C-alpha cells in the first residue's frame, strides 16, 4: 500500500486523459428544493454539464479510457447499450470529436415504453446525428457479449476496434470517476461546507466505485450513497466492489467493502420504468430548480434521496450533495410516461 500522498499523486496525474469533458463541473446550491423538503442543505454536482454531445457522467470516464484507444492506434470505437443509453450516446459523441468510426450494439427488448419517440428521439436521435453505425441486437441480460462479438467481426474485417464496455464501467473508468472527488473537495472547501454524504444513482457500478475510491482517499468523512436504479441492488453492489477493488489496486489504495452502500427500493418495477416517486422527483427538480432529470437514472436517484430525507437520515444544517449524472436527452424519449 502506498502513502496517502502517493495515492493522491497517482489519482491526480498518474493516468493520461484526452480532455474531452468540460471540467470542473459546477457544484450549485439547491435552495428551493431544500426549503421544500425541510431537511439537510442540498447541493447538486452538475455532471450533466460535462459538455460534449449533451454531457453526462460517462465523459469523465471516457476522458481516460479513450486515451488508451487513441494510444493503441484504434480506428473504430465499439460499444453498446439499450436504445436510450446515455453511455453509448456519449461514446458516439466522443468518436465524432476524435474522428473515429463508432459501432454500437443496440439492445432491444429490455423494458421500454411502447412509443415511437423511444425508438427515434432523445439519445437515439443524437446517435444518428453523431454518425454512429447502429447494430440492433436482442437484450439477453448479458451487457457485454454482443459488444465483444461486434468487435470481433470488425477485427476479422481488418479494422482496429477498441472495446468500450457497457456503461464505460471498468477499473480504469472507476479511477477516472474518482477525479470528481478532488473537484467536490475543492468546491466544498470554497463554499465552506463539509458534505455528510454524496448521493447518486448507480447502474453498471463504475461511477460508484470511483466515488467510493476517491472519497476514501480525499473525503473520508463523507458517505457515498448509491441508489439502485436497476432493481438489482445485490448485482450493483458486487459490481461496485469488483471495479473498486481492481481500481484501488491500480493506484495502491485501500478499498473497504463497508464503504459500498447501495440503497434498494427506488427503482420502481424495473430498469427504465419510472414509478410515482420518480415522477414526483422529476417534477420537483424541474419546478423548483430548473434541473432537468431523466426517468431512468437521475430521476430515480433523486427519488431515493428524497425518501432518505423524509426518513430523517440527515439533520437540517448538514450538507448533502446530489450528483446529476446526466441523461437529460432521455426526457424527450419518455415524454409519454412523464404525464406533464
Ligand atoms: C444518466 C446516468 N446516470 C447514472 C448512470 C450510472 O452510472 P454507472 O453505470 O457507472 O453506475 C448512467 C449509466 O448509464 C447514466 O447514463
Amino acid at each position: 500500500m502506498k502513502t496517502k500522498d502517493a495515492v493522491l499523486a497517482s489519482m491526480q496525474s498518474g493516468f493520461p486523459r484526452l480532455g474531452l469533458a468540460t471540467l470542473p463541473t459546477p457544484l450549485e446550491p439547491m435552495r428551493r428544493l431544500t426549503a421544500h423538503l425541510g431537511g439537510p442543505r442540498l447541493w447538486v454536482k452538475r455532471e450533466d454539464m460535462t459538455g460534449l454531445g449533451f454531457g453526462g457522467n460517462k465523459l469523465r470516464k471516457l476522458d481516460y479510457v479513450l486515451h488508451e484507444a487513441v494510444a493503441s492506434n484504434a480506428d473504430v470505437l465499439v460499444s453498446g447499450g439499450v436504445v436510450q443509453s446515455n453511455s453509448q450516446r456519449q461514446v458516439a459523441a466522443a468518436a465524432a470529436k476524435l474522428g473515429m468510426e463508432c459501432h454500437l450494439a443496440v439492445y432491444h427488448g429490455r423494458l421500454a415504453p411502447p412509443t415511437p419517440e423511444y425508438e427515434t428521439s432523445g439519445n437515439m436521435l443524437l446517435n444518428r446525428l453523431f454518425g454512429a453505425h447502429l447494430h440492433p441486437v436482442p437484450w439477453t441480460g448479458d451487457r457485454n457479449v454482443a459488444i465483444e462479438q461486434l468487435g470481433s467481426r470488425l477485427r476479422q474485417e481488418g479494422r482496429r476496434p477498441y472495446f468500450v464496455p457497457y456503461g464505460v464501467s471498468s477499473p480504469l473508468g472507476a479511477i477516472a470517476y474518482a477525479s470528481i472527488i478532488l473537484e467536490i473537495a475543492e468546491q466544498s472547501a470554497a463554499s465552506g461546507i463539509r458534505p455528510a454524504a454524496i448521493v447518486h444513482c448507480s447502474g453498471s457500478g463504475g461511477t460508484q466505485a470511483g466515488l467510493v475510491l476517491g472519497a476514501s482517499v480525499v473525503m473520508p468523512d463523507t458517505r457515498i450513497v448509491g441508489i439502485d436504479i436497476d432493481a438489482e441492488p445485490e448485482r450493483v453492489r458486487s459490481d461496485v466492489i469488483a471495479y473498486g477493488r481492481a481500481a484501488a489496486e491500480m493506484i495502491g489504495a485501500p478499498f473497504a467493502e463497508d464503504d459500498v452502500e447501495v440503497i434498494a427500493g427506488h427503482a420502481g418495477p424495473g430498469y427504465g420504468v419510472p414509478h410515482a416517486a420518480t415522477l414526483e422527483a422529476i417534477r420537483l427538480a424541474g419546478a423548483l430548480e430548473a434541473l432537468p432529470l431523466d426517468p431512468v437514472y437521475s430521476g430515480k436517484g433523486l427519488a431515493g434521496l428524497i425518501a432518505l430525507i423524509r426518513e430523517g437520515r440527515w439533520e437540517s444544517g448538514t450538507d448533502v450533495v446530489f450528483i446529476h449524472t446526466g441523461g437529460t436527452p432521455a426526457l424527450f424519449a419518455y415524454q409519454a410516461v412523464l404525464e406533464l
Side-chain angles (χ1 to χ4, degrees):
M1 219 56 76
K2 292 184 188 167
T3 63
K4 189 185 162 196
D5 283 350
V7 172
L8 200 55
S10 182
M11 274 175 62
Q12 281 169 325
S13 51
F15 297 84
R17 57 195 90 170
L18 291 174
L20 291 167
T22 303
L23 301 175
T25 56
L27 178 70
E28 300 168 345
M30 295 199 285
R31 295 194 182 89
R32 296 192 69 217
L33 185 60
T34 299
H36 178 85
L37 294 171
R41 280 189 300 259
L42 297 176
W43 299 74
V44 57
K45 176 72 171 161
R46 299 294 303 270
E47 291 287 280
D48 58 319
M49 292 176 66
T50 51
L52 192 67
F54 265 89
N57 60 335
K58 309 300 179 181
L59 282 178
R60 195 181 279 279
K61 302 182 187 180
L62 287 167
D63 248 351
Y64 289 56
V65 170
L66 295 187
H67 188 279
E68 194 176 85
V70 171
S72 68
N73 199 28
D75 65 351
V76 47
L77 298 183
V78 186
S79 194
V82 296
V83 175
Q84 286 297 330
S85 159
N86 303 293
S87 179
Q88 62 182 357
R89 180 255 308 162
Q90 287 165 84
V91 175
K97 194 71 181 169
L98 293 169
M100 295 171 85
E101 214 172 278
C102 179
H103 287 254
L104 300 171
V106 182
Y107 298 118
H108 289 260
R110 207 172 177 194
L111 288 172
T115 58
E117 308 89 81
Y118 184 80
E119 299 293 330
T120 56
S121 185
N123 287 303
M124 197 35 87
L125 178 76
L126 294 171
N127 289 339
R128 294 198 169 98
L129 189 67
F130 301 153
H133 299 255
L134 308 175
H135 304 264
V137 293
W139 169 251
T140 62
D142 188 297
R143 292 168 156 73
N144 282 308
V145 165
I147 306 174
E148 282 161 1
Q149 286 168 346
L150 181 55
S152 303
R153 231 171 49 225
L154 289 161
R155 193 168 293 109
Q156 279 160 16
E157 289 166 13
R159 307 300 303 274
R160 300 186 304 279
Y162 183 87
F163 167 80
V164 181
Y166 188 99
V168 203
S169 280
S170 65
L172 182 58
I175 288 175
Y177 215 77
S179 67
I180 192 178
I181 293 289
L182 299 167
E183 288 178 20
I184 295 176
E186 204 167 296
Q187 291 167 325
S188 298
S191 300
I193 63 167
R194 292 163 65 93
I198 296 172
V199 182
H200 69 102
C201 59
S202 203
S204 62
T207 296
Q208 188 166 358
L211 286 163
V212 171
L213 179 62
S216 73
V217 180
V218 181
M219 298 179 79
D221 299 330
T222 301
R223 183 78 174 163
I224 304 300
V225 181
I227 308 293
D228 160 48
I229 52 82
D230 269 313
E232 298 174 352
E234 292 310 318
R235 196 273 307 152
V236 173
R237 186 163 186 276
S238 73
D239 284 351
V240 172
I241 291 170
Y243 294 129
R245 266 210 205 113
E249 240 169 65
M250 285 166 70
I251 60 170
F255 189 85
E257 283 187 21
D258 286 352
D259 290 344
V260 179
E261 179 175 359
V262 176
I263 305 266
H266 305 289
Y271 175 85
V273 187
H275 59 333
T278 315
L279 299 180
E280 184 205 7
I282 291 173
R283 290 194 193 109
L284 283 177
L288 298 176
E289 298 290 343
L291 196 65
L293 302 183
D294 77 279
V296 182
Y297 290 99
S298 52
K300 289 186 178 179
L302 185 64
L305 171 56
I306 291 172
L308 293 173
I309 290 170
R310 287 177 177 157
E311 286 163 16
R313 174 152 174 169
W314 299 284
E315 296 185 356
S316 55
T318 55
D319 291 281
V320 171
V321 174
F322 173 68
I323 303 183
H324 185 341
T325 43
T328 309
L331 263 179
F332 305 100
Y334 280 83
Q335 188 181 351
V337 297
L338 291 173
E339 299 163 17
L340 292 171

